[in-house]
Amino acid sequence: MKATPTIWTGRVLTALFALFILGASVTPKLLGMPVAEETMNQLGWPPGYAFGIGILELVCLVLYLYPRTNILGAILFMGVFGGAMATQIRTGNPLSSHQLFSIYLGLFMWGGLWLRDPQVRAMFPLRR
């Protein structure tokens, strides 16, 4: 299959999403960086949850990047994003910068998947 500009755009979006998740979320949690525990504490999570959430995010990312399981990974990520959004709402953080950030990530993630995978485009076609 020839890679069209649409597919390449999807790959770029997917790579940016993956790098962001790895750098901003998974790595600090798995390496036990103080910023991860401090952030979790500020959001009302008890100590020790960051590592488990980091593992969950890494598993979702691997599933999302692997072509045979990319839809499952995206769906599971939406569950993680929903939990993150609920936490932001519960703590009363600002709407557009914190509460809706999970929606922004989800749109970016699904957009990359939709552009790079013709089967996903067939399942969710744009109507004219």
Side-chain angles (χ1 to χ4, degrees), residues 47-127:
Y49 278 81
F51 185 79
I53 293 172
I55 292 289
L56 175 65
E57 291 171 342
L58 183 60
V59 168
C60 290
L61 183 62
V62 168
L63 290 171
Y64 172 70
L65 293 175
Y66 185 64
R68 290 183 161 220
T69 59
N70 58 15
I71 294 173
L72 175 62
I75 291 169
L76 293 175
F77 251 130
M78 290 310 295
V80 172
F81 293 159
M85 178 184 267
T87 299
Q88 296 293 342
I89 291 170
R90 183 184 53 76
T91 57
N93 284 326
L95 177 68
S96 62
S97 63
H98 289 68
Q99 293 179 16
L100 295 179
F101 192 70
S102 295
I103 298 292
Y104 307 149
L105 281 177
L107 289 171
F108 207 79
M109 176 191 66
W110 278 105
L113 183 58
W114 189 86
L115 289 169
R116 73 179 160 102
D117 191 329
Q119 291 178 326
V120 175
R121 284 196 303 275
M123 286 189 328
F124 302 108
L126 291 179
R127 297 192 178 188

Side-chain angles (χ1 to χ4, degrees), residues 10-65:
R11 288 176 181 170
V12 169
L13 286 177
T14 296
L16 290 173
F17 171 78
L19 289 173
F20 177 80
I21 292 295
L22 280 173
S25 191
V26 172
T27 301
K29 290 174 183 144
L30 294 185
L31 294 181
M33 296 175 133
V35 69
E37 282 297 333
E38 291 167 8
T39 302
M40 297 293 281
N41 186 38
Q42 291 170 358
L43 294 172
W45 285 89
Y49 278 81
F51 185 79
I53 293 172
I55 292 289
L56 175 65
E57 291 171 342
L58 183 60
V59 168
C60 290
L61 183 62
V62 168
L63 290 171
Y64 172 70
L65 293 175

